[in-house]
Amino acid sequence: ENVRLPLEEFTDLPGEAMNAIAASKLKLVQLEGFEHFHPAEISGGMTKRVALARALALDPELVFLDEPTSGLDPIAAGDFDELIRTLQQTLGLTVFMVTHDLESLNTVCDRVAALAEGKVIAVGPISEMHKSSHPWMRAYFQGKRGRALTRGLSAMET
């Protein structure tokens, strides 16, 4: 029902077609067979996947995500990031994502806009963000959490 909602609001499709589309979108986000589950019966990560399926119900070219991995454990967050990246590539989606999650930035984003001091202070690929000499950018990308991420990524490459 949740995934069907945009179809009910914005199309005149018959109910059977809406059910089929909703089921296909759930399959797309790796929730095949969960059509009859209620919100209380699914995990936080699954809830985020249902929300993503609902967002994809009308086949948009652009999807907005606001802190999509917030509240998820590192494994579920990583899985969600990989799902977003896969959907970007397979569906040709443009994803506009607001996040503070450095790992999500590294996994999902081709370009980043950094906001500080009430304005956009940098725009570009993530690799440029790491090299910035701006004090806020250095603190964000090269601070304790950024360094931990960089060490972790370097260790994974070896």
Side-chain angles (χ1 to χ4, degrees), residues 48 65-72 77 80-81 84 97-99 104:
K48 290 182 184 275
L65 302 174
D66 186 13
E67 299 288 355
T69 58
S70 121
L72 297 179
F80 196 83
D81 287 342
I84 295 299
M97 181 170 63
V98 174
T99 187
S104 289

Side-chain angles (χ1 to χ4, degrees), residues 6-7 68 80 104 106-107 111 117 119 121 126 135 137 139-140 152:
L7 299 165
F80 196 83
S104 289
N106 281 295
T107 302
R111 289 175 35 104
E117 303 161 4
K119 62 185 178 206
I121 60 169
I126 192 76
M137 296 285 288
Y140 191 82

Side-chain angles (χ1 to χ4, degrees), residues 33-112:
F34 285 83
E35 293 87 343
H36 302 291
F37 280 59
H38 292 89
E41 299 174 309
I42 60 176
S43 69
M46 294 167 89
T47 300
K48 290 182 184 275
R49 288 173 187 261
V50 169
L52 181 57
R54 183 182 56 239
L56 296 173
L58 297 173
D59 297 323
E61 294 178 16
L62 175 65
V63 174
F64 289 87
L65 302 174
D66 186 13
E67 299 288 355
T69 58
S70 121
L72 297 179
D73 66 69
I75 295 169
D79 289 346
F80 196 83
D81 287 342
E82 289 298 325
L83 173 62
I84 295 299
R85 192 66 174 160
T86 299
L87 292 173
Q88 283 175 307
Q89 294 166 350
T90 59
L91 301 178
L93 280 179
T94 297
V95 175
F96 184 97
M97 181 170 63
V98 174
T99 187
H100 293 87
D101 185 331
L102 289 170
E103 290 194 46
S104 289
L105 288 174
N106 281 295
T107 302
V108 176
C109 299
D110 298 317
R111 289 175 35 104
V112 174

